[in-house]
Amino acid sequence: MEPCDPWSPEDTLDARDLARAQARSAHALGRLDGRLASLPALEERLFCADLVRRTLLGALTQAGYLDAPQRFDAWFAGLARGPERVPEAPSSPLAIVRALLAEMARHPWEPLALTAQTLQRCARFVGDAMTLSPEEQAREVYATSRALDRARALVEALPMDADGPLPFAALAALCTAATHDPAFAPMEAGVRTFDTGETWVALAGLRPITPLWALDVAVSAHLARRKSLARALPMPGLFTTERLLMAHAADRQRLQLALALNVVATAHLAALDTAHARAALLTQRLAGLRRNSRAGAAWILLAGFAPLGLDQLMDAIGVSRRGTYALSAALTEAGLAERQSGQGKVQLVATERAKAKETPGPVFSGALGTAVEEFDDAMADLDRLLARPGNQGATGR
C-alpha cells in the first residue's frame, strides 16, 4: 500500500500525461490544417455537407435531445416530428437548428455557407407537437441568437499571445469565462415535489442545460484567427458541463480539453477521408453524364447530409418536377441512390454499393445516357422558351 502524502491534493496530475495529450491533439490539428489547406472542390462540398449534419446533431445532443440522431432524417424530410422535448432543454430543437443554419449560412468559408443556404431552402422540419405562440417563438429565437452572440463575445475576448498557434491556454481561458457567464454557467439542479395523497415527497431534479453548443461553433473563429486551422470549423462536442465544472482542478481540465480536441479533430479527419472516397466514387460513377448534370450536386447532399424527397430536390438544386425523375433515374442506374416510398412521399437515399477502384468504368448504358442527355436538352430549351418576355401571358402568371 502506498504511503499517504497529506500535502498532495487528490487532483494531482502527472505533467507527462498532460504533455502527451496535448502533443497528440496538436498533431491531429496539424494534420487537419494541412488537409484543409489543399482540399479539392468536390471534396470540399462533400465534407461541408457532412460537417453541417454533424454540427446540428452535436448541438441537439448537447442540448438534451438524445434521440436526435435516430429522428433527424425523417424530421428533415417532413415525414415525422423532431426529437422529444425535455424540460431541461434551453430551446426547442427547431430553434437550435434554424439558428445554426443561419449562422453557418454567413460563414466566411464559401462552400460551407452555400451548403447551409441550400439546406435552408429544402428543409421540411416538422414543428413540435405543441404549437408555440408567436411570443414563445420570439423568445426562443432571442435565446438562441443571444447564446451565439454571447459565445462570440467570449471568444473575441480571448488572448492571442499564449502558446502561439496552439489553442490549449485559450480553451482553458474560454472554459473559465463560460463558467462565470450567466448564459453558460452550470446551474444547480432544482427540487421537484410531489403529493402522494399522504405526504409530500421531494426529489432532486436534473440540472438545467445551458447552450454550450454555441461555444463549439464560436470557438472556430479563434482557431482560424490564431492559425491553428486553415478554416474556421465548428468543433462539435468540445465543451461540456463536466469540463466547465472542473475549474477547481485546472490541470485536469486542460487534460480533458486536450483529449476532447483530439477526438473532434480526428472526427474531422475521418470525415475528410470519407469525402475523398466519395469524391472518387462520384467522379467515376457519373462519368457518363453531361458536365452540367445536377446529379452530382444532388448526391452530395444525399450522401453527406440526409435523404431528400423529390420536392426537396427541386428547391435544393433548382430542377423541375420532371427533372427530378431524370435525376433519380440517373443516380439509380449508377448505383448511387435508391428510391424509397413512405407516407405518400418518394425519397432518394444515397447508396455506396461499389467502391471506385472496383468499378472499371461508367455503368451507364448507351440508351440511358442518350435519353438523359436528350431530356436535359429538351428541358433547357423549354426553360429558355418560358423565360422569354413575350411568353409570360401564356404561362398564366
Side-chain angles (χ1 to χ4, degrees):
M1 184 174 180
E2 297 183 358
C4 177
D5 183 0
W7 301 104
S8 177
E10 294 181 359
D11 61 344
T12 298
L13 178 70
D14 190 338
R16 292 172 294 183
D17 292 337
L18 178 59
R20 280 192 289 266
Q22 291 184 343
R24 294 191 188 98
S25 181
H27 180 252
L29 277 179
R31 291 177 56 207
L32 180 59
D33 180 56
R35 294 281 298 275
L36 291 172
S38 57
L39 200 58
L42 181 55
E43 293 181 28
E44 275 186 342
R45 296 166 63 192
L46 285 161
F47 174 73
C48 286
D50 177 75
L51 177 60
V52 174
R53 179 185 175 89
R54 289 186 294 117
T55 301
L56 296 181
L57 289 179
L60 291 171
T61 303
Q62 190 277 324
Y65 301 105
L66 302 183
D67 58 343
Q70 291 75 35
R71 290 175 173 261
F72 187 83
D73 290 351
W75 182 39
F76 174 73
L79 301 178
R81 296 199 178 274
E84 292 292 334
R85 185 156 190 175
V86 293
E88 297 78 20
S91 301
S92 70
L94 186 57
I96 293 173
V97 166
R98 284 177 173 169
L100 285 175
L101 284 177
E103 182 74 10
M104 287 185 282
R106 299 187 296 268
H107 200 277
W109 191 20
E110 185 178 5
L112 182 56
L114 292 176
T115 300
Q117 293 166 15
T118 300
L119 294 172
Q120 282 181 311
R121 292 196 303 270
C122 65
R124 300 291 188 273
F125 290 112
V126 179
D128 294 334
M130 296 180 60
T131 304
L132 299 179
S133 66
E135 293 78 10
E136 291 173 325
Q137 294 179 20
R139 282 197 296 269
E140 287 210 332
V141 171
Y142 173 76
T144 51
S145 60
R146 180 176 176 272
L148 289 167
D149 291 341
R150 286 300 306 153
R152 279 193 294 266
L154 293 181
V155 169
E156 290 172 359
L158 291 175
M160 291 291 296
D161 55 349
D163 289 349
L166 297 178
F168 305 118
L171 294 180
L174 184 56
C175 264
T176 301
T179 303
H180 296 90
D181 190 279
F184 306 109
M187 303 173 67
E188 294 296 331
V191 176
R192 298 180 181 180
T193 58
F194 300 91
D195 184 5
T196 64
E198 298 180 355
T199 184
W200 283 89
V201 177
L203 298 176
L206 298 176
R207 185 188 300 275
I209 301 171
T210 56
L212 298 180
W213 50 264
L215 294 175
D216 293 340
V217 175
V219 75
S220 62
H222 185 76
L223 295 176
R225 189 165 60 244
R226 71 185 302 136
K227 307 302 182 184
S228 298
L229 286 177
R231 304 295 182 187
L233 299 186
M235 309 299 281
L238 183 56
F239 295 96
T240 62
T241 301
E242 290 73 17
R243 289 171 197 138
L244 265 63
L245 290 172
M246 299 178 69
H248 66 283
D251 286 345
R252 290 194 178 277
Q253 185 184 62
R254 287 172 178 261
L255 174 63
Q256 292 302 316
L257 286 171
L259 294 173
L261 184 59
N262 183 35
V263 169
V264 177
T266 302
H268 284 321
L269 286 169
L272 286 173
D273 291 338
T274 301
H276 178 74
R278 285 173 172 169
L281 177 63
L282 181 63
T283 300
Q284 188 174 49
R285 302 287 281 183
L286 294 185
L289 288 183
R290 299 173 58 193
R291 291 184 179 180
N292 63 347
S293 174
R294 297 173 185 175
W299 193 76
I300 288 172
L301 296 177
L302 294 175
F305 190 77
L308 296 174
L310 298 184
D311 59 328
Q312 290 176 294
L313 281 174
M314 293 169 62
D315 293 335
I317 58 178
V319 295
S320 64
R321 186 71 179 183
R322 291 184 177 181
T324 61
Y325 299 138
L327 187 149
S328 171
L331 290 176
T332 303
E333 176 73 12
L336 292 174
E338 58 186 23
R339 295 165 62 96
Q340 294 183 0
S341 299
Q343 301 185 21
K345 290 188 177 181
V346 176
Q347 277 191 301
L348 279 183
V349 181
T351 57
E352 301 174 59
R353 290 194 295 268
K355 296 181 180 179
K357 63 181 180 181
E358 296 175 351
T359 309
V363 297
F364 283 103
S365 63
L368 179 61
T370 303
V372 170
E373 186 168 343
E374 291 176 352
F375 182 84
D376 284 345
D377 290 335
M379 294 304 297
D381 292 339
L382 182 59
D383 290 340
R384 285 192 295 270
L385 179 63
L386 294 176
R388 294 178 182 176
N391 290 329
Q392 290 180 353
T395 64
R397 298 182 181 177

